[in-house]
Amino acid sequence: NAGVTQTPKFRVLKTGQSMTLLCAQDMNHEYMYWYRQDPGMGLRLIHYSVGEGTTAKGEVPDGYNVSRLKKQNFLLGLESAAPSQTSVYFCASSYSSGSNQPQHFGDGTRLSIL
Amino acid sequence: GQQVMQIPQYQHVQEGEDFTTYCNSSTTLSNIQWYKQRPGGHPVFLIQLVKSGEVKKQKRLTFQFGEAKKNSSLHITATQTTDVGTYFCASGTGGFKTIFGAGTRLFVKA
């Protein structure tokens, strides 16, 4: 079982460049999430989705956009990367009713913005 | 918004010593989840507590949910080097989102 797969695993960008982080899950989960993890700050929710075609803002949505065109995929976009977006990004999914179900995480994408 | 405060931020122990991390909230939590993240890895779900005063055990790990559902603890008995990592508590808000604490990083010296 692949579970939650994130691509790429590592990326270095220059300020102002754009990119898309891909997340795919094969567990037929309804809920999907994007988090960023910075030292000493735990996991902060960027955006989430409660089903195909739906997205919503989390704690720190500024500078990011997302799309959920297919149930199994959740994409995170950076339109104009900034050094403050240097972080480790985790995608997660859960079966239903987000906060009452365990979340399954991908391996993360380590992103550096120069 | 709702927050969960986790202490301590770091803990260094000698192998064989016990370890406890605490999670506190100013508001009542619908549930509490605990995750473990190994260095360089991703968070992995350990357990969920739902009931007031609930206690659950997984081998050397004991998880407790406070009577008022505002705090929780994770206790590891006789730590081993395999316990190294960061332990996160996460609270359910009753809605779609889960709020994570900042985590307690455990270092175990052999």
Side-chain angles (χ1 to χ4, degrees), chain A residues 31 33 35 37 40-45 48 50 57-59 90 97-108 110, chain B residues 9-10 30-31 33 35 37 40-45 48 86 88 91-103:
Chain A
Y31 291 66
Y33 313 83
Y35 295 91
Q37 185 174 38
M41 299 191 73
L43 293 156
R44 292 186 292 169
L45 183 64
Y48 65 99
V50 302
K57 295 180 179 179
E59 296 175 76
F90 286 102
S97 186
S99 66
N100 294 318
Q101 293 290 324
Q103 294 186 24
H104 301 259
F105 286 81
D107 289 337
R110 283 149 182 81
Chain B
Q9 188 175 6
Y10 303 95
S30 60
N31 63 55
Q33 297 175 346
Y35 292 78
Q37 183 177 23
H42 60 272
V44 175
F45 175 79
Q48 175 169 280
T86 301
F88 293 97
S91 77
T93 63
F96 301 122
K97 296 182 287 184
T98 299
I99 307 298
F100 283 80

Side-chain angles (χ1 to χ4, degrees), chain B residues 53-87:
Chain B
E54 190 170 12
V55 178
K56 288 188 177 181
K57 292 188 176 183
Q58 289 180 350
K59 296 183 180 179
R60 294 178 294 103
L61 279 61
T62 302
F63 304 85
Q64 293 187 335
F65 201 10
E67 292 290 341
K69 299 183 73 173
K70 290 184 177 182
N71 57 73
S72 180
S73 65
L74 158 59
H75 179 82
I76 301 178
T77 302
T79 55
Q80 300 175 358
T81 55
T82 54
D83 295 324
V84 163
T86 301
Y87 293 84

Side-chain angles (χ1 to χ4, degrees), chain A residues 18-91:
Chain A
S18 63
M19 79 162 295
T20 300
L21 280 63
L22 309 179
C23 178
Q25 53 94 5
D26 62 1
M27 296 173 284
N28 201 35
H29 285 171
E30 289 291 338
Y31 291 66
M32 296 187 74
Y33 313 83
W34 275 107
Y35 295 91
R36 60 177 290 173
Q37 185 174 38
D38 302 294
M41 299 191 73
L43 293 156
R44 292 186 292 169
L45 183 64
I46 305 171
H47 287 281
Y48 65 99
S49 168
V50 302
E52 181 179 317
T54 73
T55 63
K57 295 180 179 179
E59 296 175 76
V60 289
D62 293 343
Y64 305 95
N65 56 75
V66 288
S67 64
R68 183 110 182 258
L69 299 179
K70 293 183 178 181
K71 185 177 183 178
Q72 62 267 36
N73 297 332
F74 196 29
L75 279 57
L76 177 71
L78 285 72
E79 291 186 347
S80 179
S84 61
Q85 293 177 304
T86 293
S87 188
V88 180
Y89 291 86
F90 286 102
C91 175

